[in-house]
Amino acid sequence: MQNEKKSIITYLIFGTLIGIVSYYLNSSLMSLGVAIVVLVALQSVLKAVMKLDEKFQWFMSNGGWLYIFVWFIIWVIMYNVM
């Protein structure tokens, strides 16, 4: 599988998980902080695991924006439904 696809799938999975975790934090600011910290940490982990020498821009265009979008949608849905 190509590195772009692996990156996108990883960011989608973690976006969903962090969206669920953010609901249980009960603080909007803390939820945003956790989401940003995980985004940066995930970029570092993917860089090491896939042995890439890409900049942060590459990771944002190959799943980072989807991570933010999925995290926000999951968090809002859980916040409103629960």
Side-chain angles (χ1 to χ4, degrees), residues 15-65:
T16 303
L17 293 174
I18 298 303
I20 293 168
V21 168
S22 292
Y23 167 73
Y24 291 106
L25 292 177
N26 293 327
S27 170
S28 300
L29 190 57
M30 189 181 295
S31 298
L32 179 63
V34 168
I36 291 172
V37 167
V38 170
L39 176 66
V40 173
L42 193 56
Q43 179 258 338
S44 299
V45 170
L46 285 175
K47 187 183 256 189
V49 169
M50 290 195 268
K51 297 177 180 73
L52 295 173
D53 191 29
E54 303 290 343
K55 297 184 185 224
F56 188 72
Q57 179 68 29
W58 185 89
F59 289 97
M60 285 303 291
S61 64
N62 287 301
W65 293 113

